[in-house]
Amino acid sequence: MPNSGTSCPIIGIGGWAPNVGEERTTGAKKWLLSALKSGYRHIDTAYSYGTEKAVGEAIVESGIDREDVFVVSKLPPNHHGRVLESIQESLDNLGFKWLDMYLMHWPYAAAYEGEDPEPLHPDGAPKVVDHPTIGETWAAMEDALRRSKCEAIGVSNFSIKTLEEVMKNTRIKPAMNQVEMHPYLQQNDLLKFCKEHDIAVVAYAPSGTDLVRNDPVIVELAAKYSVTPTQIILAWHLSRNVVVIPKSTNEERQKENHNLPTLEEEDLQKINALDRGQRICNKGDENGLVYGMSYEQLGW
Ligand SMILES: NC(=O)c1ccc[n+]([C@@H]2O[C@H](COP(=O)([O-])OP(=O)(O)OC[C@H]3O[C@@H](n4cnc5c(N)ncnc54)[C@H](OP(=O)(O)O)[C@@H]3O)[C@@H](O)[C@H]2O)c1
């Protein structure tokens, strides 16, 4: 990543877990450990996923040196006014001295009301606040970088519009932008912009879930290469030099996602033709708002 001088393995394991249940609590260490044993050396987590502690424990239990695993965590929207405190909380959860990459999870700030992850107004609307601005939050993240709390800083869910906003007065450019990306949401303009500005692009929900996995073109290519639909989709991302962080709790699927074919140009073109600008995650509520932000505000 030219904007930070660091590099990360192009395939990582997703660390999101549902808000309740074993996958987040006692079970998380198990599937993260199996991912490490299957060869993953890049783990994506976030303060809000509740899996940071399990990530740290899995690395210790694996016997792999901390230095050999690229670990990403993220600043939640309601912590924008307390970046140094929040990164320290993430580090304490992980049991680490530093993060390899620290991302601003979303391009907006929410009210901080202690541990409530998503403070709401009485009418149910999220409490989005004007300050700090994303530029101010970025400046605080630069401070965390200067204090060696992390080796690189980046963003997530940013568009060209919000990237331009955050880069307006900054010395340090984001090293990474993690966004939803898959064959139905190819985000080619954003990808081009990021490449021009040396910002590494990471695809979340990279498989496009069952919706994209079951697309007839993908299914046909899986048969042609004798692999699974997910492997075809992940291989397509790699052909675009996009980092992928597929999440699987299943050891066999973890191995599958880490062992990808090289696709022929004509097959890549077939997948390119599937783009339909369709979001699967964070589609917006009945008012079209994503966490209280309109698509226009987000630049989506
Ligand atoms: N920055 C953000 O706002 C943001 C938002 C969403 C996600 N993320 C990150 O991105 C990661 C991945 O995203 P995601 O979990 O939404 O999507 P994903 O990795 O594309 O899909 C995960 C789902 O696909 C299944 N799966 C995985 N590999 C498979 C395979 N080879 N064959 C069949 N099914 C397979 C998994 O089930 P099994 O576990 O049963 O295999 C799971 O249900 C997250 O864990 C998180 O770290 C970031």
Side-chain angles (χ1 to χ4, degrees), residues 10 40 158 174 186 188 197 239 245 255 258 262 282 288-289:
I10 197 160
Y40 288 81
F158 274 55
Q186 298 189 11
N188 292 322
H197 290 271
S239 78
I245 46 169
K255 286 182 181 153
H258 206 253
T262 302
N282 305 308
L289 301 179

Side-chain angles (χ1 to χ4, degrees), residues 177-252:
N177 185 19
Q178 184 184 119
V179 295
E180 179 178 344
M181 189 176 277
H182 43 71
Y184 283 5
L185 184 69
Q186 298 189 11
Q187 307 230 51
N188 292 322
D189 290 345
L190 179 62
L191 185 58
K192 183 165 173 276
F193 179 90
C194 288
K195 282 191 174 155
E196 282 165 5
H197 290 271
D198 291 326
I199 300 167
V201 174
V202 179
Y204 75 67
S207 71
T209 70
D210 285 347
L211 183 72
V212 184
R213 269 195 277 270
N214 291 331
D215 184 284
V217 171
I218 301 293
V219 172
E220 188 191 308
L221 290 175
K224 173 176 169 182
Y225 288 85
S226 301
V227 296
T228 65
T230 307
Q231 286 172 298
I232 293 291
I233 297 166
L234 297 178
W236 167 80
H237 282 291
L238 264 46
S239 78
R240 291 163 33 110
N241 211 17
V242 166
V243 180
V244 289
I245 46 169
K247 148 88 187 290
S248 180
T249 53
N250 175 280
E251 192 175 338
E252 286 315 306

Side-chain angles (χ1 to χ4, degrees), residues 97-113:
K97 288 196 169 58
W98 85 97
L99 276 167
D100 296 274
M101 177 67 71
Y102 194 49
L103 304 180
M104 194 188 314
H105 205 149
W106 282 90
Y108 71 89
Y112 177 65
E113 294 181 3

